[in-house]
Amino acid sequence: MEHWICNFNIFGHPVSANMDTLITMWFTMFLLIVLALITTRKTTLVPSKLQLAAEGVVKYFSGIAKASMGEEASKRHLPLILTLFMFILTANLVGQLPWHLIHLKTGELASPNNDINMTAAMAIVVSLYYIYYGVKKKGFHFFFHGFSIDGIIITLVDTLELFVRPFSLALRLFANIFAGEVLVFTVVGIFAYFIPLPFMLFELFVALIQALVFTLLSTTYISMAVNEE
C-alpha cells in the first residue's frame, strides 16, 4: 500500500516518515490519554461501567502475568503488557473509522498497524525488553546453556528464536490488519449497503484477537526470559 511519505533532514542525515501512519498513531495515543484521564478522574469503591471495564482489563492481564512469572515480576512488567494491549486494540479499532472520506494526495489514513514499520517497532521493543531483563536475571547463561550436546542445541534454538520472534510478531499483526482492511474496502467498493456490515463486525473481532495474541505472546517471551526454569 502506498504511503504519504515526507522527507526530512536531521543533522545532515535524510530521514523519511510515513505521515499517514504517524497521524493515526498520534490520534490513537491521544484517545488513550483522554480515556485514561476520564477513567481515573473519579475512581470510587462502587465503580462506574467505564472503571469496571478498565479494572477488568487490568485484573485479566495481572492474573496472566502472575501465573506465568510470579507476583513480584508481574508488577514490574505489567505496565508494558497493558500498554501493548491497549495501544494495539485502540489502533486496530481506529482503522475501522471512515478514514477513506479524507482524501490525501498520496496514501490513505488507516490503522497504524497496517504499516509493517509500526508493528516491527513494537516487536523490536518487546524483544529488546525481554532480552535486557533476561540478561539482567541470568547473565551470560541467558544466551549460552553449556557445552553439553543438549546445551549447545538449546543455545542454537534460542539464538534462532531471538531473530524469529520479532519477525513473527510484526508480520502476524501487520498481515491480519492489512488483509482485513483490504477485504472491507473491496466489499464496500462492490456492495455499498448492508452486505459489508458482517465483514466490518468480523474485523472488530479480529482487532481484539490480534491485540490479545500480540500481548499474550509478549507476556510469554518476558516470562521465559525472567523465570529460572
Side-chain angles (χ1 to χ4, degrees):
M1 181 179 292
E2 186 181 5
H3 289 281
W4 172 20
I5 300 177
C6 288
N7 297 310
F8 304 95
N9 193 294
I10 301 178
F11 300 112
H13 299 280
V15 176
S16 60
N18 295 342
M19 291 304 300
D20 49 346
T21 301
L22 288 177
I23 290 173
T24 51
M25 182 189 72
W26 291 331
F27 181 71
T28 301
M29 294 164 59
F30 173 77
L31 288 180
L32 285 174
I33 292 171
V34 172
L35 180 63
L37 292 175
I38 295 174
T39 305
T40 59
R41 184 181 58 175
K42 292 182 180 180
T43 55
T44 59
L45 290 177
V46 181
S48 63
K49 293 182 179 179
L50 186 59
Q51 182 183 338
L52 189 64
E55 290 177 355
V57 172
V58 174
K59 184 177 180 181
Y60 175 76
F61 285 102
S62 177
I64 291 176
K66 286 179 182 179
S68 61
M69 63 185 75
E71 184 171 359
E72 182 179 351
S74 67
K75 292 179 181 179
R76 179 182 297 111
H77 306 298
L78 190 59
L80 174 68
I81 295 170
L82 287 171
T83 301
L84 284 173
F85 175 75
M86 292 304 300
F87 178 82
I88 294 172
L89 176 60
T90 307
N92 292 346
L93 295 177
V94 162
Q96 303 305 311
L97 297 176
W99 294 109
H100 297 291
L101 297 177
I102 303 175
H103 298 285
L104 305 177
K105 291 183 178 180
T106 57
E108 60 182 16
L109 298 175
S111 169
N113 289 332
N114 84 340
D115 188 341
I116 188 65
N117 297 288
M118 182 74 247
T119 59
M122 291 188 292
I124 291 172
V125 167
V126 170
S127 298
L128 294 176
Y129 184 89
Y130 79 74
I131 289 173
Y132 169 78
Y133 278 100
V135 172
K136 185 177 180 180
K137 180 78 173 182
K138 303 173 183 178
F140 183 69
H141 293 290
F142 175 78
F143 298 103
F144 186 68
H145 300 276
F147 291 98
S148 64
I149 298 298
D150 293 342
I152 293 175
I153 292 175
I154 294 174
T155 299
L156 292 175
V157 171
D158 284 352
T159 302
L160 179 62
E161 285 184 341
L162 291 179
F163 297 95
V164 172
R165 284 174 179 174
F167 178 78
S168 64
L169 279 176
L171 190 60
R172 182 187 298 106
L173 179 58
F174 159 73
N176 280 280
I177 300 305
F178 177 76
E181 292 188 351
V182 170
L183 176 63
V184 171
F185 182 75
T186 303
V187 175
V188 169
I190 300 174
F191 307 100
Y193 303 102
F194 304 118
I195 293 179
L197 186 59
F199 294 92
M200 294 177 178
L201 294 176
F202 179 72
E203 284 307 308
L204 296 179
F205 175 73
V206 171
L208 174 62
I209 293 300
Q210 290 305 314
L212 275 173
V213 169
F214 193 103
T215 307
L216 293 178
L217 284 174
S218 300
T219 304
T220 301
Y221 298 155
I222 294 170
S223 65
M224 292 173 64
V226 301
N227 286 341
E228 291 292 346
E229 296 82 3

